[in-house]
Amino acid sequence: MLKKIAHFIEQHKLLSKGKKYIVALSGGADSVCLLLVLQRLGYDVEAAHCNFRLRGEEADRDEQFCIQLCKKHNIRIHLVHFDTNFYAVSHKISIEMAARELRYSYFENLRRDIGADAVCVAHHQNDCAETVILNLVRGTGIQGLAGIQPKRDNIVRPLLCVNRDEIEAFLTEEGQNYVTDSTNLYDLYVRNKIRLNIIPMMEKINPAAVQNIVKTAIRLSEANRVFDHSIEEASLRVCHSTDEGLTIDIGKLKKEVSTEYTLFNILKDYGFNPDQIEAIDANVDAPTGTTYISATHQLLFDRGKMIVTEKVDDAVSLKIPETGKYLFGNKGEALKVELRAVDDAFKISKDKNVATLDVSNIKFPLLFRNVRNGDRFVPFGMKGSKLVSDYLTDRHRSLIEKRRQTVVEDADGRIVWLVGERTDNRFRVSEATTDVLVMTMTQND
């Protein structure tokens, strides 16, 4: 078994001599085997044990066992205690998920603190088979059917080449005992139901069921690598970054072999879940204005393209009773409002973020707000009024830009400035102007 694991480590380039590694040690057969095997193979290892305070005296027993095991083999051990129940309740997640998040967060912080290269966990072939079945039951794609991978980020799994029977046989031969988590003996959790009920039934049909599932997962993992490369190339063909955000060309997307997988590859990093992506794919010809919202982003259909931007609160309504500096938004935006006399030194700014208006015809308080349906103004240099929406369309503004467009109106409800675009001609500066209102959009400093 040592030779098999050594070959697996070399084959997948998991570990290197001369570097330090953390072994996640629970005290169970799998992690005890991993710790002893890696030490026997000459790797520099330190152990890390987590006490989740979920099993009372049994959890304390496990901790003491790990301490004594490491003392016996002259291995440094790191210990941590968690209030897992409190974490689960405060984060509104299951106990299983809470323990997982706490465990891996601690491992990563410890890895950085002691300068370890990676964290070694004791997943083996039975765990891989259980994961494949679990993902299949929940519904998954190729990646989920590929099971557990030998390496992911800073986590490595050197025991994926052996099964539980081989592990227990190794420990028996070594005369090494271990502890058993009593919760693993009951089918209270989904994974336990698979381990205790489903896999034994499958092994009655075929004793090599676990090995065959793992072999299939390995083949699918290879197929997934090829598939991922193809989908990544498709993603690059159909999307690009613009000032608006990430833009997906619907026409190009429809020419790809798999629109759904291409969309999934693009949108998975923007908070969209598989059900949402499936719905977007099914409605790829949705009319302009159709919007999907994730936890962090929004996707908007706009004239043959989809635009993905950060989800922000676009609603702006800011009353301006007098001159001064007014802050809004969450990125330090500010609107500066000031009065100036027209003198020999006075010049009208050509900056699009500055509006200079004849103040004599403007009534306070002003209102800085988002554009609304039906808004009209008289664009500078024109005599007749125009719908703001038509003006923005003529300027080739996207729906996202239209929704985020702001205006300043006076107390009579007249738009004096289409912010960042154009002032209203009714308030233009003339030779008769003696005082001007200057409004400047800035980043708050």
Side-chain angles (χ1 to χ4, degrees):
M1 194 175 85
L2 288 173
K3 289 182 179 179
K4 183 190 290 190
I5 295 171
H7 174 72
F8 185 78
I9 290 172
E10 182 179 353
Q11 179 186 9
H12 294 278
K13 298 179 175 61
L14 301 183
L15 308 173
S16 299
K17 298 289 177 65
K19 293 184 178 180
K20 184 187 297 182
Y21 297 95
I22 296 170
V23 173
L25 181 65
S26 68
D30 308 335
S31 63
V32 171
C33 174
L34 176 62
L35 183 70
L36 299 185
V37 165
L38 294 186
Q39 186 186 50
R40 187 80 60 84
L41 291 175
Y43 292 102
D44 181 9
V45 293
E46 296 184 10
H49 177 77
C50 302
N51 187 332
F52 296 101
R53 294 181 177 174
L54 294 173
R55 295 179 290 117
E57 293 181 0
E58 186 177 281
D60 295 334
R61 175 209 65 182
D62 294 353
E63 180 177 316
Q64 289 303 313
F65 172 85
C66 292
I67 292 172
Q68 295 305 316
L69 176 70
C70 291
K71 183 177 181 181
K72 176 182 176 182
H73 293 278
N74 197 29
I75 297 172
R76 185 183 181 189
I77 186 169
H78 304 269
L79 303 171
V80 66
H81 288 212
F82 296 119
D83 189 340
T84 312
N85 280 311
F86 175 79
Y87 185 90
V89 172
S90 61
H91 289 76
K92 298 179 180 179
I93 57 178
S94 68
I95 291 293
E96 285 180 292
M97 184 57 68
R100 175 183 172 82
E101 289 185 5
L102 289 168
R103 176 169 63 247
Y104 282 106
S105 176
Y106 168 70
F107 288 157
E108 178 57 20
N109 288 332
L110 177 62
R111 185 191 68 80
R112 293 174 181 172
D113 289 343
I114 69 173
D117 192 64
V119 177
C120 304
V121 295
H123 291 130
H124 48 75
Q125 290 185 342
N126 293 70
D127 294 315
C128 182
E130 291 165 11
T131 298
V132 171
I133 296 170
L134 182 60
N135 289 341
L136 185 61
V137 170
R138 289 174 174 171
T140 188
I142 296 178
Q143 186 172 359
L145 294 177
I148 302 173
Q149 299 302 300
K151 184 174 185 178
R152 191 180 190 89
D153 300 324
N154 295 315
I155 303 294
V156 295
R157 302 177 174 90
L159 297 187
L160 277 179
C161 59
V162 296
N163 61 40
R164 183 175 288 111
D165 290 341
E166 291 177 284
I167 288 171
E168 293 178 355
F170 169 80
L171 293 176
T172 299
E173 185 176 335
E174 293 291 312
Q176 176 61 58
N177 63 335
Y178 51 88
V179 294
T180 300
D181 182 342
S182 62
T183 61
N184 290 334
L185 303 177
Y186 304 97
D187 57 0
L188 299 176
Y189 304 110
V190 176
R191 185 174 286 274
N192 282 9
K193 293 179 189 296
I194 294 172
R195 177 181 302 138
L196 300 174
N197 302 320
I198 295 176
I199 286 185
M201 290 180 63
M202 297 177 75
E203 289 178 327
K204 287 182 179 179
I205 298 172
N206 184 348
V210 168
Q211 290 88 338
N212 288 340
I213 292 173
V214 172
K215 287 178 182 178
T216 301
I218 292 172
R219 296 189 191 103
L220 286 172
S221 181
E222 290 299 317
N224 189 54
R225 272 191 273 274
V226 176
F227 180 77
D228 281 349
H229 179 72
S230 175
I231 292 298
E232 187 62 36
E233 289 187 333
S235 301
L236 293 173
R237 286 192 292 267
V238 306
C239 70
H240 59 281
S241 296
T242 66
D243 291 338
E244 298 173 307
L246 182 73
T247 300
I248 302 170
D249 188 307
I250 295 175
K252 292 181 179 179
L253 175 67
K254 293 163 83 172
K255 294 178 182 178
E256 297 299 332
V257 174
S258 174
T259 57
E260 183 176 352
Y261 274 101
T262 302
L263 281 173
F264 182 82
N265 187 59
I266 296 170
L267 299 179
K268 60 180 170 55
D269 294 329
Y270 295 91
F272 292 93
N273 61 48
D275 289 340
Q276 287 179 303
I277 296 172
E278 184 178 350
I280 293 169
D281 178 61
N283 294 282
V284 73
D285 290 316
T288 291
T290 301
T291 305
Y292 291 86
I293 306 292
S294 76
T296 57
H297 288 74
Q298 67 176 8
L299 179 147
L300 174 72
F301 282 79
D302 184 18
R303 294 170 292 185
K305 59 187 178 182
M306 303 177 203
I307 303 172
V308 182
T309 60
E310 287 185 23
K311 187 174 71 173
V312 295
D313 184 5
D314 292 333
V316 176
S317 183
L318 181 64
K319 192 174 183 179
I320 304 172
E322 58 187 0
T323 57
K325 190 173 186 179
Y326 296 84
L327 308 181
F328 64 95
N330 56 10
K331 296 184 178 180
E333 300 95 336
L335 177 63
K336 186 178 181 181
V337 182
E338 55 189 332
L339 282 175
R340 292 183 189 173
V342 175
D343 52 27
D344 293 340
F346 171 75
K347 288 184 180 180
I348 296 178
S349 173
K350 294 182 180 180
D351 188 332
K352 69 176 183 177
N353 290 314
V354 179
T356 305
L357 308 169
D358 188 326
V359 74
S360 64
N361 193 30
I362 296 175
K363 294 184 179 180
F364 277 81
L366 305 178
L367 180 64
F368 174 63
R369 62 168 176 81
N370 289 102
V371 68
R372 300 170 184 156
N373 289 333
D375 275 344
R376 304 186 74 93
F377 81 127
V378 181
F380 181 83
M382 295 177 60
K383 293 183 178 180
S385 69
K386 190 179 184 73
L387 281 169
V388 170
S389 60
D390 289 344
Y391 173 87
L392 294 173
T393 297
D394 292 343
R395 297 278 291 165
H396 305 292
R397 298 294 184 246
S398 70
L399 275 180
I400 286 180
E401 291 173 311
K402 288 181 178 180
R403 290 180 179 182
R404 293 181 175 175
Q405 180 63 51
T406 52
V407 299
V408 176
E409 68 175 19
D410 76 349
D412 287 339
R414 299 171 297 176
I415 292 176
V416 300
W417 184 27
L418 188 62
V419 179
E421 289 285 341
R422 206 160 178 175
T423 56
D424 189 293
N425 197 64
R426 292 169 291 183
F427 309 95
R428 67 184 299 171
V429 176
S430 67
E431 293 181 358
T433 301
T434 57
D435 295 289
V436 293
L437 183 71
V438 181
M439 293 180 286
T440 307
M441 290 289 294
T442 66
Q443 291 293 317
N444 182 36
D445 54 10

